[in-house]
Amino acid sequence: MKYNKSNNIDVKKENRNRIYKLICEKERISKPEIAYLLGISMPTVMQNVKSLQDEGLVEEAGVLGSTGGRKAVAISCVENARYAIGVDITRNHISTVLINLTGNIVESIRVSKKYQNTLDHAQEMGKLIDNVIEKSGINPSKILGVGISLPGILSDDGLTLVSSYVLQVTNERFANYQNYIKYPYLLCNDANAAGIAEMWNRNTLKNAIYLSLSNTVGGSILLDNKIYLGENQRGGEFGHMTIERNGLQCYCGKKGCLDTYCSALVLAEHTNGNLADFFDLLKKGDRKIEAVWEKYLDYLATAVNNLRMFFDCSIILGGYVGAYIDEYMAKLKGYIANLNTFEMDGNYVQVCHYKREAAAVGAALLHIKPFIDNI
Ligand SMILES: [Zn+2]
């Protein structure tokens, strides 16, 4: 008897959640359509839509076109019913984004600030969070929390940065944060956060590898829409795959790591550290730059093909280089296809959606996702 009761509550909760997610997915939908698509009775749909409406999570949004008879009222999700904040900390910058329930960036601020685990840095971050809220003009009570993305490996409990080459720290705890952040907050690895952002709104993808091509190479493994961290939180450290035996010296102390061939620095070092200039010259047909790019693509294709062989899923290219790679995809796919044992093309490779702030958005989504899952 008891079992049946809890079972019944679960079904009710699940129905409500399915209705909410369908409204978000379809953008505008009528109640009869919801009932039809989900196989739920009309009274149940009406009751749930009403309660979602009362809570300010969905709203009526005009009428839908009809093929005859009465026009149906359209129901839409209220995108700005809640917000979350994402912070991305790098060696020399702090980025802050405010996103809504759809994952869209409503407001953002990026400032130069050299990383140090000091009161001053934590204070600056707290100030930025307050500023981004003030700039957007939203009611702070609608904020679910803050996600902080860090370039390094975090401890199991997510409270300590075990190691970060970028920030040059080991076993760093962030005790100062609680004094300057007024909202619930959590820490996450930057590449994992960016991977989460890229999976958001790609409804058909369940599994993917995210390869981040920034000043270091990293990535994340998303299986069944969840990050696979590995046994030591190092899953997705693709930058240190050995791509060339006894190859170039890597910052990690080993030789021939992917990082030494495919980081954004490999390109930018030819244009005084400026990646935009590199792609400008490439567009203009600079021979020397073209040769550097060819070599880069060759190693990237090898890495991508290896990842495809390991995981047999889509591979998303992101990071600083990912933001420029769109127009070179045909060429890259050609290289990839040449290496592949089973496939004739490289169509499993995709370009990132977020050309900037993917890590900050992903960190913020760590609050949005559970909120939506629990509606
Ligand atoms: Zn290495």
PDB file of all heavy atoms in Angstrom, residues 210-224:
ATOM      1  N   TYR A 210      34.290  16.554 -25.511  1.00  0.00           N
ATOM      2  CA  TYR A 210      34.554  17.972 -25.744  1.00  0.00           C
ATOM      3  C   TYR A 210      36.063  18.162 -25.690  1.00  0.00           C
ATOM      4  O   TYR A 210      36.702  17.778 -24.710  1.00  0.00           O
ATOM      5  CB  TYR A 210      33.858  18.809 -24.660  1.00  0.00           C
ATOM      6  CG  TYR A 210      34.193  20.279 -24.746  1.00  0.00           C
ATOM      7  CD1 TYR A 210      33.654  21.066 -25.759  1.00  0.00           C
ATOM      8  CD2 TYR A 210      35.043  20.876 -23.823  1.00  0.00           C
ATOM      9  CE1 TYR A 210      33.962  22.422 -25.853  1.00  0.00           C
ATOM     10  CE2 TYR A 210      35.363  22.219 -23.907  1.00  0.00           C
ATOM     11  CZ  TYR A 210      34.817  22.985 -24.929  1.00  0.00           C
ATOM     12  OH  TYR A 210      35.133  24.317 -25.023  1.00  0.00           O
ATOM     13  N   LEU A 211      36.619  18.700 -26.770  1.00  0.00           N
ATOM     14  CA  LEU A 211      38.062  18.925 -26.831  1.00  0.00           C
ATOM     15  C   LEU A 211      38.311  20.432 -26.821  1.00  0.00           C
ATOM     16  O   LEU A 211      37.917  21.141 -27.747  1.00  0.00           O
ATOM     17  CB  LEU A 211      38.628  18.278 -28.110  1.00  0.00           C
ATOM     18  CG  LEU A 211      40.147  18.321 -28.296  1.00  0.00           C
ATOM     19  CD1 LEU A 211      40.880  17.623 -27.165  1.00  0.00           C
ATOM     20  CD2 LEU A 211      40.533  17.675 -29.636  1.00  0.00           C
ATOM     21  N   SER A 212      38.948  20.894 -25.759  1.00  0.00           N
ATOM     22  CA  SER A 212      39.176  22.334 -25.591  1.00  0.00           C
ATOM     23  C   SER A 212      40.575  22.700 -26.069  1.00  0.00           C
ATOM     24  O   SER A 212      41.576  22.212 -25.541  1.00  0.00           O
ATOM     25  CB  SER A 212      39.015  22.685 -24.104  1.00  0.00           C
ATOM     26  OG  SER A 212      39.383  24.027 -23.906  1.00  0.00           O
ATOM     27  N   LEU A 213      40.622  23.569 -27.103  1.00  0.00           N
ATOM     28  CA  LEU A 213      41.900  23.956 -27.706  1.00  0.00           C
ATOM     29  C   LEU A 213      42.218  25.398 -27.312  1.00  0.00           C
ATOM     30  O   LEU A 213      42.074  26.308 -28.119  1.00  0.00           O
ATOM     31  CB  LEU A 213      41.808  23.806 -29.235  1.00  0.00           C
ATOM     32  CG  LEU A 213      41.381  22.418 -29.726  1.00  0.00           C
ATOM     33  CD1 LEU A 213      40.943  22.463 -31.187  1.00  0.00           C
ATOM     34  CD2 LEU A 213      42.492  21.402 -29.539  1.00  0.00           C
ATOM     35  N   SER A 214      42.589  25.599 -26.062  1.00  0.00           N
ATOM     36  CA  SER A 214      42.936  26.946 -25.603  1.00  0.00           C
ATOM     37  C   SER A 214      44.433  27.006 -25.326  1.00  0.00           C
ATOM     38  O   SER A 214      45.174  26.255 -25.942  1.00  0.00           O
ATOM     39  CB  SER A 214      42.098  27.288 -24.370  1.00  0.00           C
ATOM     40  OG  SER A 214      40.752  27.536 -24.777  1.00  0.00           O
ATOM     41  N   ASN A 215      44.859  27.866 -24.410  1.00  0.00           N
ATOM     42  CA  ASN A 215      46.309  27.963 -24.175  1.00  0.00           C
ATOM     43  C   ASN A 215      46.881  26.674 -23.595  1.00  0.00           C
ATOM     44  O   ASN A 215      48.088  26.440 -23.654  1.00  0.00           O
ATOM     45  CB  ASN A 215      46.626  29.148 -23.277  1.00  0.00           C
ATOM     46  CG  ASN A 215      46.469  30.455 -24.043  1.00  0.00           C
ATOM     47  OD1 ASN A 215      46.303  30.447 -25.274  1.00  0.00           O
ATOM     48  ND2 ASN A 215      46.506  31.572 -23.350  1.00  0.00           N
ATOM     49  N   THR A 216      46.019  25.861 -23.022  1.00  0.00           N
ATOM     50  CA  THR A 216      46.370  24.466 -22.783  1.00  0.00           C
ATOM     51  C   THR A 216      45.268  23.644 -23.450  1.00  0.00           C
ATOM     52  O   THR A 216      44.194  24.169 -23.739  1.00  0.00           O
ATOM     53  CB  THR A 216      46.422  24.114 -21.268  1.00  0.00           C
ATOM     54  OG1 THR A 216      45.171  24.455 -20.704  1.00  0.00           O
ATOM     55  CG2 THR A 216      47.531  24.878 -20.559  1.00  0.00           C
ATOM     56  N   VAL A 217      45.562  22.363 -23.688  1.00  0.00           N
ATOM     57  CA  VAL A 217      44.550  21.483 -24.287  1.00  0.00           C
ATOM     58  C   VAL A 217      43.939  20.641 -23.174  1.00  0.00           C
ATOM     59  O   VAL A 217      44.654  20.092 -22.337  1.00  0.00           O
ATOM     60  CB  VAL A 217      45.186  20.575 -25.364  1.00  0.00           C
ATOM     61  CG1 VAL A 217      44.169  19.550 -25.876  1.00  0.00           C
ATOM     62  CG2 VAL A 217      45.712  21.409 -26.522  1.00  0.00           C
ATOM     63  N   GLY A 218      42.634  20.602 -23.152  1.00  0.00           N
ATOM     64  CA  GLY A 218      41.942  19.780 -22.151  1.00  0.00           C
ATOM     65  C   GLY A 218      40.672  19.246 -22.768  1.00  0.00           C
ATOM     66  O   GLY A 218      40.512  19.260 -23.993  1.00  0.00           O
ATOM     67  N   GLY A 219      39.766  18.827 -21.930  1.00  0.00           N
ATOM     68  CA  GLY A 219      38.511  18.360 -22.485  1.00  0.00           C
ATOM     69  C   GLY A 219      37.656  17.686 -21.445  1.00  0.00           C
ATOM     70  O   GLY A 219      37.975  17.686 -20.255  1.00  0.00           O
ATOM     71  N   SER A 220      36.552  17.134 -21.904  1.00  0.00           N
ATOM     72  CA  SER A 220      35.687  16.406 -20.991  1.00  0.00           C
ATOM     73  C   SER A 220      34.999  15.275 -21.729  1.00  0.00           C
ATOM     74  O   SER A 220      34.834  15.314 -22.946  1.00  0.00           O
ATOM     75  CB  SER A 220      34.666  17.340 -20.344  1.00  0.00           C
ATOM     76  OG  SER A 220      34.038  18.132 -21.315  1.00  0.00           O
ATOM     77  N   ILE A 221      34.627  14.292 -20.933  1.00  0.00           N
ATOM     78  CA  ILE A 221      33.971  13.097 -21.459  1.00  0.00           C
ATOM     79  C   ILE A 221      32.548  13.111 -20.935  1.00  0.00           C
ATOM     80  O   ILE A 221      32.341  13.114 -19.710  1.00  0.00           O
ATOM     81  CB  ILE A 221      34.707  11.827 -20.971  1.00  0.00           C
ATOM     82  CG1 ILE A 221      36.192  11.887 -21.347  1.00  0.00           C
ATOM     83  CG2 ILE A 221      34.045  10.566 -21.497  1.00  0.00           C
ATOM     84  CD1 ILE A 221      37.067  10.922 -20.557  1.00  0.00           C
ATOM     85  N   LEU A 222      31.577  13.181 -21.833  1.00  0.00           N
ATOM     86  CA  LEU A 222      30.169  13.213 -21.410  1.00  0.00           C
ATOM     87  C   LEU A 222      29.484  11.949 -21.892  1.00  0.00           C
ATOM     88  O   LEU A 222      29.307  11.750 -23.098  1.00  0.00           O
ATOM     89  CB  LEU A 222      29.483  14.456 -21.975  1.00  0.00           C
ATOM     90  CG  LEU A 222      30.075  15.739 -21.390  1.00  0.00           C
ATOM     91  CD1 LEU A 222      30.681  16.598 -22.468  1.00  0.00           C
ATOM     92  CD2 LEU A 222      29.032  16.501 -20.608  1.00  0.00           C
ATOM     93  N   LEU A 223      29.153  11.084 -20.962  1.00  0.00           N
ATOM     94  CA  LEU A 223      28.505   9.829 -21.308  1.00  0.00           C
ATOM     95  C   LEU A 223      27.116   9.820 -20.696  1.00  0.00           C
ATOM     96  O   LEU A 223      26.959  10.087 -19.504  1.00  0.00           O
ATOM     97  CB  LEU A 223      29.326   8.642 -20.787  1.00  0.00           C
ATOM     98  CG  LEU A 223      30.783   8.579 -21.291  1.00  0.00           C
ATOM     99  CD1 LEU A 223      31.525   7.411 -20.654  1.00  0.00           C
ATOM    100  CD2 LEU A 223      30.845   8.476 -22.809  1.00  0.00           C
ATOM    101  N   ASP A 224      26.121   9.537 -21.544  1.00  0.00           N
ATOM    102  CA  ASP A 224      24.739   9.567 -21.097  1.00  0.00           C
ATOM    103  C   ASP A 224      24.425  10.905 -20.414  1.00  0.00           C
ATOM    104  O   ASP A 224      23.805  10.945 -19.359  1.00  0.00           O
ATOM    105  CB  ASP A 224      24.478   8.389 -20.137  1.00  0.00           C
ATOM    106  CG  ASP A 224      23.012   7.979 -20.183  1.00  0.00           C
ATOM    107  OD1 ASP A 224      22.293   8.433 -21.096  1.00  0.00           O
ATOM    108  OD2 ASP A 224      22.591   7.233 -19.284  1.00  0.00           O
TER     109      ASP A 224
END
